[in-house]
Amino acid sequence: MQRFRPLAGRLGTDALLRVRSYYSAENPGAEKTSLLRSLCGLPSQISGEVHWGDRLWQDANRCHVPLYRRNLGMMFQNYALFPQQTVVEQLLFAADNSVRAQDASGSIRTGKTATRLPAHPFRRGQQQRLALARSLMRSPPLLLLDEPFSALDQDTRYRVLEWLGEEHRRKKFSLLAISHDPHDWRAFQPQHWKLQNGRLTDSATSHP
């Protein structure tokens, strides 16, 4: 069980995450991105606590485990791709594993774009798939995703969801996903949280 207690700013969230489970949070303007940022350790100060297992990551006094020492994968909505790197180079930057990089590149179907630079006119959906694959390269025990499928058409979304599900079955990681479309996650039987004005208002487990 992983715990995070009332966090920064307007957040008043207190919840437990079961290891190797899927979670999705809904409702626009509910401070969901702030929640992910707090779990990552991006705010320099928070008003509560963030734990991973029995280890304290951060509290109101200090950050005990900085971002670069937290073994997690994260994908925010701006993707944060490097303009000077190709698709494969982006993946290898996350983890120096050429076999896994080729596998991930094939899974997100980059095709001929694998040797192009992101500075070229990549479509938003291509950038989104690359950012997702990069977040999984190190096989982190915790994966944080902020609207990971918003730019994908229905067919591509289905394929990427299928790949993500297979990754989870093989790697056994916990996933916290921000999504305005809970139907995307039905196959994963996630626990849904509803956040309203930075507060956890509801929690329920959905079934397909």
Side-chain angles (χ1 to χ4, degrees):
M1 303 287 279
Q2 321 305 333
R3 172 175 292 277
F4 52 95
R5 295 174 180 156
L7 302 172
R10 296 166 54 196
L11 286 173
T13 303
D14 189 350
L16 291 172
L17 286 77
R18 292 184 181 277
V19 176
R20 301 179 182 176
S21 298
Y22 286 90
Y23 297 83
S24 65
E26 308 168 31
N27 294 353
E31 302 289 342
K32 299 182 298 297
T33 299
S34 296
L35 173 60
L36 293 188
R37 287 175 57 84
S38 295
L39 291 174
C40 288
L42 291 175
S44 58
Q45 290 185 323
I46 62 173
S47 58
E49 297 177 352
V50 179
H51 295 255
W52 179 251
D54 58 0
R55 189 174 189 187
L56 175 63
W57 275 1
Q58 191 168 357
D59 58 23
N61 296 317
R62 58 173 292 202
C63 179
H64 301 272
V65 182
L67 169 60
Y68 64 90
R69 292 191 179 279
R70 299 186 189 191
N71 191 10
L72 53 81
M74 56 187 176
M75 174 190 166
F76 290 111
Q77 292 188 49
N78 65 358
Y79 311 142
L81 301 178
F82 300 112
Q84 75 277 17
Q85 293 182 345
T86 66
V87 169
V88 172
E89 288 171 343
Q90 304 264 358
L91 299 174
L92 290 174
F93 179 84
D96 189 12
N97 185 330
S98 58
V99 174
R100 179 142 174 81
Q102 291 296 332
D103 179 64
S105 177
S107 297
I108 60 175
R109 300 194 178 186
T110 56
K112 295 180 180 179
T113 64
T115 57
R116 295 184 193 169
L117 298 178
H120 286 232
F122 268 30
R123 294 192 300 272
R124 187 162 173 260
Q126 291 174 309
Q127 295 180 37
Q128 194 168 60
R129 299 200 309 272
L130 172 54
L132 175 62
R134 189 177 62 179
S135 70
L136 279 162
M137 274 295 294
R138 291 188 302 155
S139 302
L142 174 61
L143 183 64
L144 308 175
L145 304 178
D146 194 352
E147 293 290 351
F149 311 126
S150 60
L152 305 183
D153 60 60
Q154 188 170 355
D155 289 342
T156 304
R157 183 177 298 203
Y158 175 80
R159 290 198 304 268
V160 173
L161 275 165
E162 192 174 54
W163 171 62
L164 183 60
E166 178 60 28
E167 281 287 306
H168 178 265
R169 285 187 289 273
R170 291 194 296 118
K171 303 296 184 179
K172 306 298 183 185
F173 53 82
S174 297
L175 169 61
L176 177 60
I178 303 301
S179 176
H180 293 304
D181 190 351
H183 298 292
D184 283 342
W185 306 97
R186 275 186 179 176
F188 302 137
Q189 295 187 321
Q191 179 176 344
H192 289 274
W193 292 335
K194 291 187 178 180
L195 297 175
Q196 189 69 40
N197 296 322
R199 303 235 169 223
L200 185 66
T201 61
D202 189 27
S203 175
T205 301
S206 88
H207 298 277

